[in-house]
Amino acid sequence: MDNKVMYSLSYGLFVLSARRGDKDNGCITNTAIQVTTEPNRIVCAINKSNYTHDMVQETGRFTLSILSEEADFELFKRFGFQSGRDVDKFAGFESHVKRDGDGLPYVTRGANAWLSCRVVSATDLGTHTLFLADVLDGGTISSAPSATYSYYQSHIKPKPGAAPAPSAQKRWVCKVCGYVYEGDELPADFICPWCKHPASDFEPLA
Ligand SMILES: Cc1cc2nc3c(=O)[nH]c(=O)nc-3n(C[C@H](O)[C@H](O)[C@H](O)COP(=O)(O)O)c2cc1C
């Protein structure tokens, strides 16, 4: 099978946020979907290497900010290209954050709605954990259309090569998030440090 067929699946985009003690954190996800209406439940898959994953697993709580077409690339860089283990992703972002009734943060910039969720079960998928969760609360933030993954690819993510850095080395770009690898050869077992996709999702840059 040509794995590119998987690119035809459609996804939304979200900031999934958690709070453990006084620590707020969140990561970009594209894997949240509603699975039942009665009760109102969603699932989302979070990579086990994400700091947010551990926070959700321990607290059993998270919020989802549903991203709209007004979301900018800065938002994706803040929540999707760095880890809460290394930085405070919410620092300097206070004016774009609100909290649910239990104090969990959700992002209002570039989002059109938010959900507050409680984990019902966690299924080990190997690289990811699939969290099934009850939707406890939520609200509307704006009327802007929800962003799809393909909208992100075509309108939000900078075009590969838009600002090439002069280099004597070969370069490969991650087709998923735009990360550029430089070196003699792209290792076959390379994992994108930004979006965790494998070497097969990279293509050579001229
Ligand atoms: C467009 C995009 C989609 C992503 N989708 C997912 C996803 O569905 N699941 C996931 O675990 N990580 C996903 N990521 C990667 C995480 O957002 C990223 O690894 C983040 O830096 C983890 O931060 P943390 O360690 O603070 O949790 C995505 C990143 C981008 C840019």
Side-chain angles (χ1 to χ4, degrees):
M1 183 183 91
D2 179 359
N3 282 337
K4 287 202 177 75
V5 72
M6 302 303 287
Y7 297 162
S8 297
L9 281 171
S10 178
Y11 302 90
L13 282 165
F14 317 90
V15 178
L16 188 151
S17 302
R19 181 172 175 83
R20 183 172 53 185
D22 289 339
K23 172 77 174 175
D24 293 325
N25 192 44
C27 69
I28 301 284
T29 72
N30 60 273
T31 52
I33 55 166
Q34 184 180 18
V35 286
T36 58
T37 312
E38 299 280 346
N40 185 6
R41 283 182 169 167
I42 63 166
V43 291
C44 49
I46 313 181
N47 195 303
K48 289 179 184 172
S49 66
N50 291 6
Y51 188 51
T52 317
H53 172 276
D54 299 350
M55 296 173 73
V56 172
Q57 196 158 49
E58 282 179 35
T59 63
R61 292 295 315 277
F62 64 89
T63 65
L64 269 189
S65 306
I66 302 173
L67 297 183
S68 76
E69 292 182 0
E70 290 176 348
D72 58 18
F73 192 58
E74 290 304 310
L75 190 72
F76 286 87
K77 286 202 309 203
R78 177 180 286 268
F79 288 101
F81 295 169
Q82 53 186 355
S83 177
R85 285 191 189 87
D86 311 316
V87 294
D88 178 357
K89 297 187 186 181
F90 284 88
F93 206 64
E94 293 79 7
S95 59
H96 306 296
V97 176
K98 288 189 175 170
R99 293 185 184 272
D100 73 0
D102 290 328
L104 276 79
Y106 60 88
V107 170
T108 54
R109 178 171 132 188
N112 61 16
W114 64 277
L115 304 175
S116 177
C117 307
R118 176 183 290 129
V119 173
V120 174
S121 68
T123 305
D124 188 341
L125 303 182
T127 56
H128 290 61
T129 298
L130 186 74
F131 292 103
L132 172 68
D134 280 327
V135 177
L136 307 177
D137 198 4
T140 302
I141 297 169
S142 90
S143 58
S146 297
T148 61
Y149 202 101
S150 63
Y151 185 88
Y152 166 77
Q153 295 280 5
S154 57
H155 289 86
I156 300 176
K157 191 180 83 173
K159 297 278 176 287
S167 169
Q169 295 193 296
K170 290 196 224 164
R171 304 160 80 220
W172 288 260
V173 62
C174 175
K175 290 182 283 183
V176 177
C177 70
Y179 174 83
V180 175
Y181 174 89
E182 285 191 351
D184 291 334
E185 211 49 62
L186 179 70
D189 59 354
F190 189 73
I191 301 291
C192 177
W194 285 357
C195 69
K196 309 292 192 304
H197 280 73
S200 55
D201 282 322
F202 280 67
E203 64 187 6
L205 260 182

